[in-house]
Amino acid sequence: MTANDRARETAAIGPGVSFVMPVLNERAYLEHAVASVLAQDLDEPAELVLALGPSSDGTTELAERIAAADPRVSIVHNPAAHIPVGLNAAIRASSYPTIVRVDAHSELSPGYARRAIATLRRTGAANVGGIMRADGRTPFQAAVARAYNSPAGLGGGAYHVGAGEGEAESAYLGVMRRDVLDAVGLFDESVRRGEDWELNLRIRQAGHLVWFDPELAVTYWPRESWIRLARQFRATGAWRGELVRRYGRRNGIRFFAPPALALNVALALVVGVLQLTGVLSGLASLIASAVYLPLVAYALLVIVMALLPAKPSDPPRSIRERLWTLAVLPTMHLAWGLGFLTGVVRGAGDTVDASRLGTQNTPLP
């Protein structure tokens, strides 16, 4: 299929947009996320389907009040609480030919849907995504956001740090054609994390385009505590390891950096113990000390990240945010890396993102 064929096919899609949002324990974020969806300026009918998991923080009651107050909002239940299961349930319950995935921890920028749909039709793509612009309202969350928005934090993917418009490996959230989703079989419900990457792989294998548009922006609010961040990244790493087991080299090289760091730390600990106990000495000890060099370089990187702003024009960062950066980056990388190694060796199994369970969040201002 040529680019012109794709564009004609996509342009022929009828009007109507279905926003789908998986929700679990998001009382602090849900109203803002829903408001950003309902405020989208569209010249065609739209709806929002919430895939509601069994929440314990009052999210269920809040979602029901929101749905009762606006006929554009409806609810489907997701008792399994898994994201791809909820997404598929919401897609099946929705009505329109264009599907816009939304996260309850995110907020769409004004004009997001209008531009994304225009890009979808202009390019003939099957899925269009943009920038995930992480933000924080506490020093800890701001430190995590700084890492998310940096190549040193999450590996420099286009939707984290930006790139020119064009074909992409995957798309953050995504504005998708329903006919293509139906053709490739929706989200794989056996993939609990990284489900978007896996779906986009199948979309590309079917001969369709996945497209990155840097003018699209979504605000993302990271986890609010160290333990929740560690749990999130361990689960994400485990599922990336599972995806490596399933798809091998189709996974980008950047995914292997955190497990390499984790292995380097483990090896350095072993060498350190052997040196302290005298098992390694002399020339052998000197040669083995080379294992520390990557860790010294990594420590310098973390310190630079903590001290310097992302851009010269950025406002000064607080001392607490800078101190948190020293903990946030190693936590993200090592938790992800250890999870990855577990996932590669024995599979992800029933690993879930425990940071989403039983949470008590501070409401957004």
Side-chain angles (χ1 to χ4, degrees), residues 40-239:
Q40 294 295 305
D41 180 21
L42 292 167
D43 296 324
E44 50 193 297
E47 65 178 347
L48 169 60
V49 183
L50 304 177
L52 187 59
S55 300
S56 59
D57 68 344
T59 294
T60 299
E61 294 76 11
L62 176 59
E64 290 171 347
R65 290 198 299 271
I66 290 172
D70 195 310
R72 293 172 293 175
V73 182
S74 61
I75 292 174
V76 294
H77 289 280
N78 174 23
H82 300 312
I83 290 175
V85 175
L87 285 169
N88 285 348
I91 291 168
R92 294 187 183 106
S94 65
S95 308
Y96 297 121
T98 300
I99 304 295
V100 180
R101 177 178 172 177
V102 191
D103 190 277
H105 245 252
S106 66
E107 295 175 29
L108 304 184
S109 59
Y112 172 90
R114 178 186 287 274
R115 179 176 176 96
I117 292 167
T119 301
L120 194 75
R121 292 170 178 166
R122 170 174 57 85
T123 61
N127 190 7
V128 170
I131 294 283
M132 184 180 105
R133 187 174 294 151
D135 200 357
R137 65 187 191 277
T138 66
F140 175 84
Q141 202 174 42
V144 178
R146 167 82 164 88
Y148 265 85
N149 296 332
S150 166
L154 293 181
Y159 62 79
H160 290 299
V161 299
E165 183 176 9
E167 294 185 41
E169 175 188 21
S170 189
Y172 176 57
L173 300 180
V175 178
M176 300 165 274
R177 291 169 44 190
R178 175 189 289 274
D179 61 332
V180 173
L181 288 178
D182 289 339
V184 301
L186 301 183
F187 288 91
D188 184 339
E189 295 183 2
S190 73
V191 178
R192 307 288 169 77
R193 302 287 294 177
E195 72 286 339
D196 47 354
W197 181 90
E198 192 279 336
L199 172 65
N200 283 297
L201 174 62
R202 284 185 285 121
I203 287 174
R204 290 186 288 110
Q205 289 177 330
H208 300 285
L209 284 178
V210 177
W211 196 262
F212 173 74
D213 183 350
E215 295 301 315
L216 299 173
V218 179
T219 297
Y220 172 78
W221 299 96
R223 298 297 189 264
E224 305 91 338
S225 71
W226 180 84
I227 189 65
R228 294 187 66 204
L229 182 72
R231 287 172 175 171
Q232 177 193 17
F233 272 76
R234 180 192 171 278
T236 303
W239 278 102

Side-chain angles (χ1 to χ4, degrees), residues 252-331:
I253 190 67
R254 70 181 185 276
F255 296 124
F256 294 86
L261 173 65
L263 288 173
N264 195 167
V265 170
L267 183 57
L269 289 173
V270 171
V271 169
V273 170
L274 294 177
Q275 289 173 329
L276 289 172
T277 57
V279 175
L280 277 178
S281 60
L283 181 60
S285 178
L286 181 63
I287 294 172
S289 295
V291 74
Y292 303 127
L293 295 178
L295 299 183
V296 171
Y298 179 76
L300 291 174
L301 171 65
V302 172
I303 291 169
V304 168
M305 281 279 293
L307 294 178
L308 298 182
K311 300 175 184 176
S313 58
D314 285 352
R317 302 164 66 209
S318 70
I319 295 296
R320 290 182 64 197
E321 181 185 335
R322 295 183 182 192
L323 290 174
W324 270 122
T325 300
L326 296 174
V328 160
L329 273 172
T331 296

